[in-house]
Amino acid sequence: QVQLVESGGGLVQAGGSLVLSCAASGHTLSNYIMGWFRQAPGEEREPVAALTWSGGSTVYADSVKGRFTTSADYAKSTVYLQMSSLKPEATGVYYCAARHMASGTWDYWGEGTQVTVSS
């Protein structure tokens, strides 16, 4: 079992920056992919970014490329999502998730953290 706890959400003005954290525990993450998802009000959850724990390869949704960066602190078993040049459409609940590299589904989810970008 992997436990994930997000933090760092809040209210920020458009154009501002925010850093989300996802602390992982319960299992070695060496064969896991860590993902960030966003769920806007009334919308389905959508992928934002992902990071391969071993090697640190990253992928991003087109809508956030160049503005968001995901990274990992291996010593702290924590994944970060640095968000800059935020737009109001970035508002939503951000979830951290983990899946084993051999799994086709995201197996573990955090509770989410609210991000609100005011215009």
Side-chain angles (χ1 to χ4, degrees):
Q1 292 284 339
V2 177
Q3 291 82 44
L4 303 171
V5 180
E6 303 96 335
S7 61
L11 174 64
V12 63
Q13 288 189 328
S17 300
L18 210 56
V19 179
L20 305 183
S21 300
C22 172
S25 63
H27 201 282
T28 302
L29 297 174
S30 56
N31 292 317
Y32 279 78
I33 300 171
M34 307 299 294
W36 288 98
F37 293 76
R38 172 175 64 214
Q39 187 165 21
E43 302 288 333
E44 291 193 357
R45 196 174 298 184
E46 61 180 3
V48 174
L51 174 145
T52 303
W53 192 260
S54 297
S57 298
T58 56
V59 292
Y60 299 93
D62 287 343
S63 60
V64 306
K65 281 181 182 175
R67 298 185 298 112
F68 288 17
T69 302
T70 186
S71 60
D73 184 326
Y74 298 101
K76 296 182 178 179
S77 293
T78 298
V79 178
Y80 301 96
L81 183 66
Q82 296 177 274
M83 306 184 292
S84 61
S85 301
L86 282 163
K87 303 176 183 180
E89 49 263 42
T91 294
V93 179
Y94 283 72
Y95 297 91
C96 176
R99 68 175 179 91
H100 193 276
M101 294 179 75
S103 174
T105 60
W106 294 92
D107 303 307
Y108 304 101
W109 291 86
E111 301 260 335
T113 185
Q114 175 71 44
V115 172
T116 303
V117 184
S118 63
S119 57

